[in-house]
């Protein structure tokens, strides 16, 4: 799969020249490759073909309706974390009965909405929530389908802000208490036990923690299978992707190796490795398996296009000031994360310099790279912040009263606007003096 590569001197997404897209819709601009998303979905599906499984895409990674629609037409279900995400799935034409509803703080309105829409399962994160869902279901004379989210207490070796499977995290119910909470759930008249769920974190780049977590919950699941009519075990998401490659140096294709999550990977985790680690223990359970990948499907399928506004040389540093800011892509500021920065015009010399790439927002945390060696950039140049398809636009804000960027979806030779850029009027909509 070659989704982002130089062709005729310009960076292309599939068959589309990114300079053309930026000229048509302006910058900052998110551009997604439908082909890459579908490729990832299909490869994961096919790696698990020997297992009774369903992929429930984690909507929070990128919730644009066009992407939800693309995935639902492939047969995907959805993992949602709010009433708003359920609304989006329905707006995209999705089936609520393929939706699992996660999150530690579901509101009454959200629970009622999800019950009315008949979601597949509420993934319950506390005893208080279990009792609350039971009460609301009773008022509607319904039985709420549930899975308990168990916390297996494994260290996924990921950033502490995206680790969720440790006992000190706010997520899930401790494994050693889970059996007892299932017994309680069984006694609640308006609760129907459907499954077991876990999710140990995000951007996990080693298969071992996934296998370890499954091993830790196996005894519980076998015991629960004896007691209840379990329908599924959801292993969550969290599969990491490669953010750093040798693309910028021109020595590597973004997507050259067939079975790699990304091409010039220095990290060991591939879809194949992931499947090889989880398949044997999951097959032994004899239960339908749900998977909730978010980042894996969309992360490397998107870029944020930005234009260089000014070059500012100070006594200490050279700053490349671009028109995208932390309000458009907050990952570097929030998680110290790395995004490769690639010029849209293929560089014709190898002149490189040490720069900071910063946005226009009034915060010192508003940077995309610090002291990074990049191809020399000039005012007006276009650059792509790579791997911005997951946790990019969805975390964008209007901070500094900056309108939200537009989003474009590329399919082969064609591209279409899937969300228009916000206007100034959008900024004050709903406010009054
Ligand atoms: C965020 C989340 C996911 C997806 O995580 P990725 O790292 O994007 O794969 C899956 N399940 C739950 C419950 C989540 O909260």
């Amino acid at each position: 799969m070659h989704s982002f590569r130089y062709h005729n001197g310009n960076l292309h997404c599939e068959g589309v020249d990114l300079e053309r897209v930026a000229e048509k819709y302006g910058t900052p601009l998110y551009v997604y490759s439908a082909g890459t998303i579908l490729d990832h979905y299909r490869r994961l599906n096919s790696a698990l073909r020997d297992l009774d499984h369903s992929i429930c895409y984690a909507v929070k990674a990128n919730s644009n309706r066009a992407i939800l629609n693309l995935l639902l037409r492939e047969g995907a279900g959805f993992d949602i974390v709010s009433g708003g995400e359920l609304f989006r799935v329905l707006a995209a034409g999705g089936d609520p009965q393929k939706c699992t509803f996660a999150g530690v703080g579901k509101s009454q309105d959200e629970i009622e909405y999800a019950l009315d829409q008949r979601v597949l399962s509420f993934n319950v994160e506390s005893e208080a929530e279990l009792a609350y869902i039971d009460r609301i279901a009773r008022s509607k004379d319904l039985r709420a389908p549930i899975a308990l989210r168990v916390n297996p207490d494994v260290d996924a070796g990921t950033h502490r802000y995206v680790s969720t499977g440790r006992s000190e995290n706010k997520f899930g119910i401790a494994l050693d208490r889970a059996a007892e909470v299932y017994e309680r759930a069984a006694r609640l008249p308006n609760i129907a036990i459907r499954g077991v769920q876990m999710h140990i974190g995000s951007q996990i780049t080693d298969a071992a923690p996934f296998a370890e977590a499954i091993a830790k919950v196996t005894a519980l699941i076998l015991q629960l299978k004896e007691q209840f009519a379990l329908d599924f075990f959801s292993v969550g998401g969290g599969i990491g992707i490669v953010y750093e490659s040798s693309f910028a140096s021109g020595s590597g294709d973004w997507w050259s190796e067939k079975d790699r999550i990304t091409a010039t990977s220095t990290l060991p985790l591939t879809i194949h490795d992931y499947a090889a680690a989880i398949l044997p223990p999951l097959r032994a359970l004899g239960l339908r398996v749900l998977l909730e990948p978010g980042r894996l499907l969309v992360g490397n399928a998107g870029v944020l296009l930005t234009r260089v506004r000014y070059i500012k040389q100070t006594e200490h540093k050279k700053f490349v000031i671009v028109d995208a800011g932390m309000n458009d892509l907050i990952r570097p500021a929030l998680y110290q994360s790395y995004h490769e920065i690639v010029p849209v015009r293929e560089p014709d010399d190898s002149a490189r310099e040490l720069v900071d790439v910063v946005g226009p927002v009034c915060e010192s945390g508003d940077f995309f790279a610090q002291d990074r060696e990049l191809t020399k950039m000039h005012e007006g140049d276009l650059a792509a912040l790579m791997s911005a398809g997951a946790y990019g636009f969805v975390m964008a804000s209007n901070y500094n009263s900056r309108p939200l960027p537009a989003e474009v979806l590329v399919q082969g030779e064609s591209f279409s606007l899937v969300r228009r850029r916000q206007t100034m009027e959008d900024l004050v909509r709903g406010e009054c003096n």
Side-chain angles (χ1 to χ4, degrees):
M1 183 89 225
H2 296 260
S3 285
F4 295 94
R5 62 195 303 210
Y6 288 116
H7 182 66
N8 291 339
N10 267 355
L11 189 65
H12 281 58
C13 172
E14 302 188 27
V16 171
D17 183 343
L18 289 176
E19 188 168 308
R20 252 182 73 213
V21 186
E23 264 156 24
K24 179 149 187 197
Y25 295 116
T27 53
L29 179 71
Y30 277 96
V31 181
Y32 310 120
S33 156
T36 307
I37 297 171
L38 294 177
D39 177 63
H40 289 174
Y41 180 84
R42 288 169 187 160
R43 277 197 284 156
L44 182 61
N45 236 348
S46 118
L48 300 168
R49 64 189 168 270
D50 294 338
L51 186 75
D52 180 13
H53 74 278
S54 309
I55 297 176
C56 295
Y57 167 61
V59 172
K60 73 177 190 286
N62 186 326
S63 57
N64 187 286
R65 283 170 59 170
I67 287 176
L68 302 182
N69 184 265
L70 190 70
L71 285 166
L72 72 88
R73 283 189 280 125
E74 283 290 299
F78 298 97
D79 182 57
I80 57 174
V81 293
S82 70
E85 286 190 351
L86 177 54
F87 183 83
R88 280 180 174 281
V89 169
L90 299 176
D95 179 357
Q97 291 182 31
K98 286 183 167 184
C99 287
T100 53
F101 189 0
V104 297
K106 301 175 189 78
S107 72
Q108 176 172 350
D109 284 353
E110 288 176 320
I111 294 166
E112 288 185 347
Y113 181 36
L115 278 170
D116 290 341
Q117 295 296 333
R118 306 288 192 270
V119 295
L120 174 66
S121 174
F122 290 86
N123 293 341
V124 176
E125 307 229 14
S126 66
E127 290 168 75
E129 184 194 333
L130 185 65
Y132 197 57
I133 293 175
D134 176 60
R135 248 196 350 261
I136 295 171
R138 193 165 317 146
S139 74
K140 292 184 171 288
D141 206 17
L142 291 171
R143 288 186 81 190
I146 65 108
L148 293 187
R149 174 167 177 176
V150 298
N151 185 326
D153 193 22
V154 297
D155 183 358
T158 189
H159 190 282
R160 63 194 172 91
Y161 286 7
V162 296
S163 166
T164 60
R166 301 302 307 273
S167 57
E168 66 263 31
N169 296 134
K170 70 177 176 182
F171 298 99
I173 293 167
L175 192 54
D176 58 6
R177 298 227 39 239
E180 184 190 327
V181 182
Y182 271 103
E183 306 262 354
R184 272 195 61 190
R187 289 194 297 272
L188 293 172
N190 294 79
I191 293 289
I193 294 170
R194 287 289 153 74
V196 179
Q197 201 272 346
M198 67 175 191
H199 172 69
I200 58 173
S202 195
Q203 185 52 18
I204 299 167
T205 52
D206 173 10
F210 294 108
E212 185 191 338
I214 294 167
K216 279 184 122 174
V217 300
T218 291
L220 172 74
I221 291 177
L222 293 176
Q223 179 197 332
L224 294 173
K225 262 181 82 180
E226 305 272 300
Q227 296 171 274
F228 312 110
L230 290 190
D231 169 48
F232 68 83
F233 172 35
S234 168
V235 296
I239 306 158
I241 63 167
V242 175
Y243 283 94
E244 295 188 44
S245 82
S246 58
F247 186 95
S249 69
S251 66
D253 269 328
W254 193 245
W255 288 103
S256 56
E257 224 181 298
K258 199 138 192 337
D259 205 28
R260 286 267 152 196
I261 288 173
T262 65
T264 50
S265 170
T266 50
L267 296 169
L269 188 64
T270 63
I271 286 177
H272 178 80
D273 297 335
Y274 174 75
I278 68 167
L279 274 175
L282 287 176
R283 270 205 215 98
L285 289 174
L287 256 185
R288 176 159 83 113
V289 170
L290 303 188
L291 300 105
E292 303 165 355
R295 189 188 312 268
L296 170 72
L297 301 186
V298 293
N300 283 319
V303 298
L304 175 58
L305 291 182
T306 186
R307 208 176 274 282
V308 178
R309 280 200 184 145
Y310 304 107
I311 305 289
K312 175 173 176 175
Q313 177 75 61
T314 71
E315 211 180 307
H316 302 287
K317 284 189 171 205
K318 187 162 191 173
F319 292 98
V320 176
I321 303 171
V322 297
D323 66 0
M326 65 187 287
N327 71 297
D328 302 304
L329 177 65
I330 203 177
R331 296 188 67 259
L334 189 60
Y335 310 124
Q336 294 82 47
S337 58
Y338 182 97
H339 287 272
E340 191 157 8
I341 301 173
V342 172
V344 168
R345 271 240 170 106
E346 189 169 11
D348 47 16
D349 57 42
S350 53
R352 297 168 74 77
E353 56 184 358
L354 211 60
V355 294
D356 278 21
V357 178
V358 302
V361 172
C362 302
E363 295 279 344
S364 291
D366 181 30
F367 59 82
F368 296 113
Q370 282 183 311
D371 297 319
R372 196 182 297 179
E373 204 183 88
L374 290 175
T375 309
K376 196 167 165 138
M377 288 198 273
H378 309 92
E379 278 183 31
D381 282 358
L382 269 177
L385 299 164
M386 306 305 292
S387 308
Y391 306 104
F393 182 89
V394 287
M395 287 192 182
S397 78
N398 287 126
Y399 186 43
N400 276 210
S401 287
R402 288 165 50 83
L404 293 178
E407 294 174 285
V408 163
L409 184 66
V410 169
Q411 294 187 274
E413 307 287 308
S414 65
F415 61 98
S416 56
L417 189 68
V418 292
R419 182 182 167 114
R420 65 163 174 80
R421 185 175 305 282
Q422 273 190 336
T423 62
M424 296 293 187
E425 276 306 313
D426 290 330
L427 292 178
V428 291
R429 183 154 298 135
E431 292 182 22
C432 47
N433 297 335

